[in-house]
Amino acid sequence: MIQNKKEKSELMLFGIPASPGIAHGPVFRFLHDEVKVATYHVSESDQEEEIRRFLEALEVTKSEIRKIREDVAKNLGEKEAGIFDAHMLVLEDRALIDDVIKEVKESGENVEKCVHRVTEKYLSFFDQLEDKYLRERAVDLRDISNRLQRCLSGTTASGTAFLDEPKILVSEDLTPSDTAALDRSKILGIATDSGGQTSHAVIMARASGVPAVVGLRNLSDKLSDGDELLIDGFEGVAIINPSETTLFRYGKVDVQRHRLLKLVESESNLPSQTADGKKINIWANADTPQEVEKAIECGCLGVGLFRTESLFLRTNSLPTEDQQYEDYVRMVKSANGKTVTIRTLDLGGDKLLDGWNQQKEANPFMGFRAIRYCLSNPNVFLVQLRAILRASAHGNVRILLPMISGIGEVIRAKELITEAMDELKERGEKFDSLIKVGCMIETPAAVAICDLLAEEADFFSIGTNDLVQYLLAVDRVNNEIAFLYEPHHPAVLRSLKHVANIANTHDLPVTVCGEIAGDPHFLPLLMGLGFDSFSASASMVPELKFFARRFSQEDILKITKDSEKKKRPSEVKQLIKDFHEARVSEASVVQN
Ligand code: PEP
Ligand code: MG
């Protein structure tokens, strides 16, 4: 029975606030790509109907692919859209079509089963091929096969290209490659059953300013067709079928938020400094060349962290040197002479490519990740290093090495950088031979030996997302223990202070680039610990600058001293929250 919206009762669920903002709208249930294949017998007289269904599904799937291709070309570029040409070729492959028709006639089974059997046969053939390029085409065939199955069974495709109106995306979980494939203009908000505050899918949502709540446990089980959802990305709340009273209440919060954002925007061109003129260096984190453009527009010093794995995830492949070079050079050019910090590949943990690492790891975040993968696969690493170096001929580029846990890794990476330079010299290519090489401080080991690392590195960038998980032994994407993931923990604050002291003594530039760098609450405290350089999601930069102008160096000293007296993370959290709220509401009152 179709329920009337008014009869549906409100249900409130509590999760983890992941990206600020309020969103309300119809639900879009995001499905992963596993598809169940129905199997049943079909009489001879019905076989023609099965074949007709198959041919119709082929046409529908082709028009879906055409639409996705158009969207990707518009949003990412013609080159990325080219991936879908291969999909079209599969759909038009006469041998495959004939095989399915023959299978329907000979097996006496439904067309879903026949499509499945034929594509599996092709897939196992692809699997045995020596040629890596052809082997990788299996991914296209798998995707096409899933789309055909979904079309035959009448289920919605997992992508967002077909949404006719913006909706709230609900999913059990969301991987970075899922998020990379989303059309963000069609997503009002994101709510997931699992995930943590710094999972990479969430970082991407925050970068595009989409409100998100994660760790809602069984939200997707509780939703039925036609439900509406309100999410509060400040407090981590999701409300199914909010009542008129709730909508009114949140409407007021939303109005206040918009009022504040307007104020923030009106000051976005003012310098980045405290009320008494202490300068603050604000950089942007970016995943795509488009985000770099946005960051430069909002007056950032440059790009403090460009996560190169994004291109690998978007294309679900190891891109060639030229593909990577084009991505980097486009970004370097958009940066208009400002410095761009390109971090070398940080795959692993929650950032995985299909079929990339065959061996399932028990502890992926502590496993074959980032610099470890690159040093074990020098050929993959050298391709990337050459692409970065070539891009350095077009602007100001720095190289950043992720997940360093020992000095040997930095030394080996620098040797490979020299090797990549030698190869480019031989080819007669230009690059910046004095390029700066920095390392991420994001493991407890790197904190402990940062004095040694300071001798090898040209700069430090502190990745608090990982540092918190490794210091506190709390998996950053596990919602069961998300309450233990506390960047306000004294162990984190003391570690940060130590790194700031060492970097300042060595006169080494240091930037905080984890998500706390974009959280305005943290700003005075981080400054008190000894930092004046932050790299944050471009969407958070204007708010950071706005808040900075509302406190002085005296406030910084006081809040840092007060925080050092607190023993519990929750007390530090409250302290910086109260300070932020007081200053922001003062500013709003003054303006009104
Ligand atoms: C970090 O760990 O804080 C960081 C910036 O890197 P990522 O989130 O990509 O692991
Ligand atoms: Mg990290």
Side-chain angles (χ1 to χ4, degrees):
M1 188 189 81
I2 299 170
Q3 268 184 309
N4 181 315
K5 179 175 174 274
K6 290 224 164 61
E7 290 168 21
K8 293 186 169 181
S9 50
E10 173 176 298
L11 179 64
M12 187 182 257
L13 300 168
F14 295 91
I16 304 162
S19 175
I22 308 284
H24 168 229
V27 167
F28 164 59
R29 300 181 72 135
F30 183 87
L31 302 170
H32 288 284
D33 280 341
E34 304 113 41
V35 180
K36 290 208 174 74
V37 181
T39 308
Y40 50 89
H41 182 75
V42 171
S43 67
E44 216 176 313
S45 57
D46 285 339
Q47 282 178 358
E48 278 312 307
E49 173 57 15
E50 289 302 285
I51 294 169
R52 191 201 58 74
R53 285 207 301 127
F54 170 55
L55 296 177
E56 190 179 304
L58 278 178
E59 288 311 311
V60 173
T61 308
K62 274 197 238 171
S63 69
E64 282 182 8
I65 299 289
R66 259 182 234 117
K67 173 86 182 72
I68 295 176
R69 198 196 182 289
E70 266 170 38
D71 285 357
V72 173
K74 200 167 75 205
N75 296 319
L76 293 176
E78 188 53 35
K79 201 154 197 316
E80 280 81 0
I83 303 166
F84 295 98
D85 295 337
H87 286 55
M88 279 313 249
L89 288 180
V90 174
L91 284 165
E92 281 162 0
D93 186 319
R94 201 58 242 175
L96 185 122
I97 298 171
D98 288 347
D99 267 6
V100 173
I101 294 176
K102 188 161 162 253
E103 190 69 25
V104 170
K105 290 184 177 158
E106 288 177 0
S107 71
E109 282 178 317
N110 59 318
V111 69
E112 287 87 344
K113 185 69 192 173
C114 297
V115 168
H116 179 70
R117 197 174 292 128
V118 170
T119 48
E120 285 305 310
K121 186 178 81 185
Y122 278 61
L123 283 169
S124 66
F125 167 72
F126 273 120
D127 246 7
Q128 290 155 18
L129 293 176
E130 290 280 312
D131 185 318
K132 189 164 165 288
Y133 176 80
L134 285 176
R135 242 186 8 247
E136 281 168 5
R137 301 287 56 82
V139 178
D140 303 336
L141 181 58
R142 168 88 56 207
D143 189 29
I144 288 298
S145 159
N146 286 345
R147 281 179 190 282
L148 277 173
Q149 293 292 356
R150 268 196 302 264
C151 187
L152 287 163
S153 62
T155 16
T156 334
S158 59
T160 45
F162 312 102
L163 290 184
D164 40 10
E165 55 172 333
K167 292 189 174 170
I168 310 252
L169 184 148
V170 174
S171 174
E172 281 171 29
D173 64 357
L174 213 51
T175 65
S177 48
D178 291 334
T179 320
L182 295 176
D183 175 351
R184 297 175 207 184
S185 68
K186 291 183 175 160
I187 301 295
L188 293 171
I190 294 177
T192 63
D193 291 351
S194 58
Q197 230 163 16
T198 59
S199 59
H200 287 96
V202 163
I203 293 175
M204 287 157 113
R206 204 174 295 134
S208 42
V210 174
V213 180
V214 298
L216 286 156
R217 291 158 192 269
N218 44 8
L219 166 73
S220 32
D221 290 345
K222 294 200 174 345
L223 286 168
S224 346
D225 279 351
D227 276 346
E228 286 198 350
L229 192 66
L230 182 146
I231 59 169
D232 171 356
F234 300 107
E235 300 296 331
V237 173
I239 303 171
I240 304 175
N241 298 320
S243 66
E244 292 298 323
T245 324
T246 304
L247 285 176
F248 181 70
R249 184 157 47 88
Y250 274 99
K252 277 186 13 195
V253 176
D254 208 20
V255 166
Q256 274 170 3
R257 170 83 184 154
H258 276 97
R259 206 174 283 156
L260 174 65
L261 289 181
K262 265 192 132 167
L263 272 182
V264 167
E265 204 189 310
S266 68
E267 294 191 11
S268 62
N269 289 326
L270 295 182
S272 151
Q273 59 187 40
T274 59
D276 54 345
K278 162 100 181 119
K279 192 169 173 294
I280 306 172
N281 301 314
I282 302 193
W283 304 71
N285 292 347
D287 276 18
T288 59
Q290 285 90 337
E291 280 178 22
V292 174
E293 282 156 29
K294 202 161 112 192
I296 300 303
E297 269 167 32
C298 69
C300 289
L301 214 64
V303 176
L305 170 67
F306 182 78
R307 291 181 165 97
T308 54
E309 50 282 1
S310 168
L311 173 68
F312 291 63
L313 293 168
R314 283 197 316 266
T315 56
N316 199 17
S317 68
L318 297 177
T320 61
E321 181 184 319
D322 280 348
Q323 281 172 324
Q324 294 185 51
Y325 164 73
E326 274 166 31
D327 213 45
Y328 305 152
V329 95
R330 189 168 150 204
M331 164 184 59
V332 170
K333 284 185 178 162
S334 338
N336 238 337
K338 293 189 173 175
T339 302
V340 174
T341 313
I342 304 185
R343 185 175 72 183
T344 60
L345 192 57
D346 184 11
L347 282 178
D350 61 345
K351 290 181 278 197
L352 300 170
L353 302 180
D354 284 347
W356 169 68
N357 188 3
Q358 300 302 339
Q359 197 190 337
K360 205 150 176 56
E361 295 183 281
N363 294 301
F365 273 108
M366 296 209 278
F368 200 45
R369 196 190 153 190
I371 196 74
R372 299 171 181 182
Y373 168 76
C374 289
L375 294 182
S376 301
N377 291 278
N379 290 336
V380 176
F381 197 29
L382 283 166
V383 167
Q384 177 171 51
L385 292 174
R386 286 196 300 267
I388 299 176
L389 287 168
R390 280 168 61 196
S392 73
H394 300 269
N396 255 319
V397 174
R398 306 192 295 182
I399 296 179
L400 178 58
L401 305 169
M403 212 194 169
I404 295 297
S405 59
I407 197 143
E409 290 164 336
V410 185
I411 294 172
R412 179 68 190 131
K414 283 167 62 178
E415 282 168 5
L416 288 166
I417 293 171
T418 309
E419 199 175 317
M421 286 182 176
D422 291 343
E423 273 183 68
L424 291 179
K425 258 186 237 160
E426 250 173 55
R427 282 203 231 152
E429 305 248 22
K430 290 198 183 116
F431 58 88
D432 173 7
S433 58
L434 300 174
I435 196 163
K436 301 250 185 290
V437 180
C439 63
M440 296 278 297
I441 304 292
E442 53 183 349
T443 65
V447 172
I449 59 160
C450 63
D451 54 332
L452 306 178
L453 294 173
E455 287 164 20
E456 286 298 330
D458 296 314
F459 64 97
F460 283 163
S461 190
I462 308 189
T464 50
N465 304 337
D466 277 314
L467 186 57
V468 171
Q469 82 162 340
Y470 296 131
L471 263 177
L472 306 182
V474 181
D475 181 344
R476 67 195 260 191
V477 297
N478 184 339
N479 59 304
E480 295 299 328
I481 45 164
F483 67 98
L484 290 172
Y485 186 94
E486 293 171 306
H488 315 82
H489 197 295
V492 177
L493 304 181
R494 290 179 189 189
S495 302
L496 292 175
K497 189 173 178 178
H498 173 67
V499 181
N501 280 341
I502 297 287
N504 293 337
T505 327
H506 283 75
D507 223 3
L508 199 77
V510 57
T511 303
V512 181
C513 73
E515 288 305 290
I516 62 170
D519 179 348
H521 298 107
F522 265 100
L523 187 59
L525 182 53
L526 290 174
M527 292 185 74
L529 294 174
F531 302 99
D532 62 6
S533 182
F534 307 95
S535 190
S537 279
S539 62
M540 297 307 296
V541 170
E543 232 176 304
L544 284 176
K545 286 174 37 179
F546 177 85
F547 181 45
R549 278 190 299 278
R550 271 136 192 109
F551 59 81
S552 64
Q553 292 177 80
E554 202 183 318
D555 294 323
I556 292 175
L557 275 181
K558 177 160 182 355
I559 202 162
T560 313
K561 262 204 170 139
D562 289 350
S563 75
E564 280 168 353
K565 287 186 212 133
K566 310 283 183 205
K567 295 184 183 152
R568 292 169 191 267
S570 56
E571 292 166 347
V572 178
K573 187 174 181 180
Q574 197 59 47
L575 176 78
I576 60 177
K577 186 168 184 253
D578 290 346
F579 180 75
H580 175 262
E581 267 172 18
R583 294 302 156 110
V584 167
S585 63
E586 225 171 69
S588 311
V589 171
V590 170
Q591 295 284 331
N592 280 332

